[in-house]
Amino acid sequence: MILKRILLGISGGIAAYKSAELLRLLVKQGYDVRVVMTLAATRFVTPLTFQALSGYPVHTQLLDESQENAMGHINLARWADVFLIAPASANSIAKFSHGLANDLLSTLYLAAECPVYIAPAMNQAMWHKAVTQENIQHLTQHGVNFIGPEAGSQACGDTGLGRMSEPENIVQELEALNAPKILHGKKILITAGPTREALDPVRYLTNRSSGKMGYALAEQARQLGAEVTLISGPVHLAVIKNVKIHLVESAADMYAAVMREIATQDIMIAAAAVADYTPATLQVEKIKKQGEQTQLNLQRTTDIVASVARLSDRPYTVGFAAETQDLAQYAQDKLQRKNLDMIAANWVGQAEGGFDSDLNALHVYWDNGEKSFKMTDKLQLAKQLLTLIAERLNAESTT
Ligand code: PMT
């Protein structure tokens, strides 16, 4: 079933300003959204803002004759496919947990029979308070889904857990509900990001990979129903909910982590930019300046994806190829040489796409086949690639 009608509840807190962006993104994604605000929320952002963004009057009163005629609170709860409360204050959460119904928002919670998603936002001390955690546990036991909160600096000056999740992350959670589960039952291992090869205690060799491509694959694979293990080099990206993650540093660490997990995997996607060479010896002390020129003695790292492809009981193995010239030729060569099932080639070092960009384009090759995906954002591209992998996997298992 496609869930398209969202009832967005907004409770009182400074994070209510983020709900305007959340609403804009939901409408952009094609959701039909109706907004309910507590009176406290209307003190932070006016209902007119949400009316303009949703295209519908905002509901604020439990007993409002005009609104009862248009759509009473029971009807509003029945209308929704999903009830999303963002931000949810500690007070609203406590009311939901204890079954209070003394305003429109809490009454709607009691009346709603659809899935409920709550994005809490509050001061970090309030979040950690035992009674808040008990309320959350209680609601979780009753099937309520929580999105966030995230850690960071707070409007009150504190730092810690309690910030409302970013609107993009909340939309992704809802999108996951609607994604066709074409990878249900599959275990996918994904490598992402760069590796760091230490020269001495203060220096290392690395590359420009941000991890965005690999993390996008992990996020989308999860949305498509897969059980995902992410082996990530050092990046500055937020962790992905419901994805098992191993944080590693060097190519040798990445190899070890992959080999620990690979036996149970159905698919491996190697999106990491793994160093091909590592310093032959790690200097224990900081290397001192000597003369005008110096040389580094490097040795080859183990090729992780090729090692996986050599296993007797191997998963469907997909490599990436990052090239600055002759993309098709080098990619097809790697497909053969590393004995891969598929290779996704991308240009790097160009103005658009590749390393550390939100965008990318891919030219994908497999035995007797190829497909190109145009420049688009990495999340979209990841979905296209995973859909192709699922199709190829099905095609190969039926031949
Ligand atoms: O991280 P982003 O900033 O989002 O950028 C994305 C990306 C450009 C890094 C990504 O799309 C990509 O191309 N990843 C592979 C980069 C790379 O190392 O390509 P390569 O052509 O050098 O390697 C070929 C394949 O062998 C890759 O799948 C690589 O993961 C794998 N490899 C390489 C060396 C090694 N020792 N072990 C490996 O598994």
Side-chain angles (χ1 to χ4, degrees):
M1 184 176 79
I2 300 213
L3 309 168
K4 276 291 170 201
R5 295 187 297 207
I6 297 184
L7 184 58
L8 173 61
I10 303 172
S11 64
I14 183 59
Y17 84 92
K18 284 191 188 174
S19 307
E21 174 63 2
L22 173 61
L23 173 56
R24 192 188 68 77
L25 292 175
L26 289 170
V27 171
K28 192 172 152 211
Q29 289 298 113
Y31 291 101
D32 187 3
V33 189
R34 305 295 153 86
V35 178
V36 178
M37 298 177 79
T38 63
L39 285 184
T42 64
R43 312 269 307 261
F44 287 93
V45 186
T46 67
L48 196 59
T49 305
F50 295 102
Q51 178 170 324
L53 288 167
S54 68
Y56 293 96
V58 170
H59 303 263
T60 54
Q61 304 285 340
L62 181 54
L63 301 171
D64 179 327
E65 278 173 25
S66 64
Q67 292 188 13
E68 283 294 313
N69 289 338
M71 190 187 272
H73 60 268
I74 298 293
N75 284 342
L76 200 51
R78 279 193 193 132
W79 168 86
D81 294 326
V82 177
F83 189 13
L84 166 67
I85 300 108
S89 63
N91 181 48
S92 300
I93 290 172
K95 285 205 243 176
F96 301 158
S97 174
H98 289 86
L100 297 184
N102 61 353
D103 64 5
L104 181 59
L105 187 70
S106 51
T107 304
L108 282 169
Y109 171 76
L110 270 191
E113 290 179 311
C114 59
V116 176
Y117 281 72
I118 290 184
M122 65 196 74
N123 164 269
Q124 55 84 26
M126 292 169 75
W127 171 256
H128 288 296
K129 190 64 83 178
V131 69
T132 305
Q133 289 304 313
E134 281 161 21
N135 287 334
I136 284 157
Q137 208 178 0
H138 187 215
L139 289 170
T140 306
Q141 281 161 0
H142 283 82
V144 172
N145 306 285
F146 281 84
I147 307 174
E150 291 172 10
S153 57
Q154 303 197 294
C156 55
D158 279 5
T159 302
L161 262 183
R163 286 165 60 97
M164 186 173 104
S165 277
E166 292 308 316
E168 295 78 7
N169 297 345
I170 297 175
V171 174
Q172 264 176 30
E173 286 296 317
L174 297 178
E175 289 284 278
L177 286 175
N178 282 331
K181 303 293 180 258
I182 54 171
L183 291 172
H184 177 72
K186 299 283 181 227
K187 290 188 169 183
I188 301 194
L189 182 144
I190 297 168
T191 66
T195 61
R196 278 182 189 167
E197 309 303 319
L199 279 161
D200 68 14
V202 294
R203 305 183 181 96
Y204 52 77
L205 302 175
T206 191
N207 59 61
R208 295 181 189 279
S209 170
S210 63
K212 286 178 186 170
M213 191 69 242
Y215 275 59
L217 283 161
E219 171 62 39
Q220 291 291 0
R222 181 188 71 94
Q223 290 197 12
L224 296 173
E227 197 178 312
V228 184
T229 302
L230 178 64
I231 315 280
S232 172
V235 297
H236 301 282
L237 299 174
V239 294
I240 307 171
K241 214 174 142 192
N242 297 329
V243 164
K244 180 176 175 188
I245 183 158
H246 292 277
L247 299 174
V248 297
E249 217 166 287
S250 65
D253 297 341
M254 189 171 274
Y255 173 81
V258 167
M259 288 304 161
R260 264 200 305 277
E261 293 282 351
I262 204 68
T264 55
Q265 304 297 322
D266 300 296
I267 300 169
M268 181 210 185
I269 309 178
V274 186
D276 290 321
Y277 290 90
T278 191
T281 45
L282 169 63
Q283 301 297 323
V284 184
E285 304 297 343
K286 184 182 165 198
I287 301 166
K288 290 290 174 199
K289 278 196 289 286
Q290 280 175 353
E292 287 305 307
Q293 290 189 356
T294 190
Q295 288 189 338
L296 291 176
N297 195 9
L298 303 176
Q299 72 179 43
R300 282 288 287 270
T301 55
T302 306
D303 193 310
I304 303 168
V305 75
S307 307
V308 169
R310 274 197 299 272
L311 295 172
S312 54
D313 191 16
R314 58 184 257 179
Y316 187 84
T317 311
V318 181
F320 266 71
E323 310 294 346
T324 57
Q325 56 179 334
D326 300 329
L327 185 79
Q329 189 193 321
Y330 281 129
Q332 281 164 328
D333 176 58
K334 281 176 187 167
L335 178 71
Q336 302 301 330
R337 201 160 31 85
K338 299 190 186 215
N339 192 27
L340 306 175
D341 294 300
M342 182 183 275
I343 194 151
N346 45 198
W347 290 103
V348 290
Q350 310 236 332
E352 213 177 26
F355 285 117
D356 199 17
S357 165
D358 290 334
L359 304 177
N360 207 7
L362 290 175
H363 306 272
V364 186
Y365 303 91
W366 62 94
D367 203 14
N368 298 325
E370 61 182 271
K371 189 161 185 169
S372 291
F373 297 119
K374 286 208 266 292
M375 187 69 67
T376 183
D377 73 88
K378 284 180 176 169
L379 266 178
Q380 191 55 32
L381 194 63
K383 193 170 179 181
Q384 292 168 346
L385 179 61
L386 288 160
T387 304
L388 177 63
I389 292 172
E391 281 167 16
R392 294 303 316 149
L393 207 54
N394 280 342
E396 289 186 19
S397 61
T398 51
T399 50

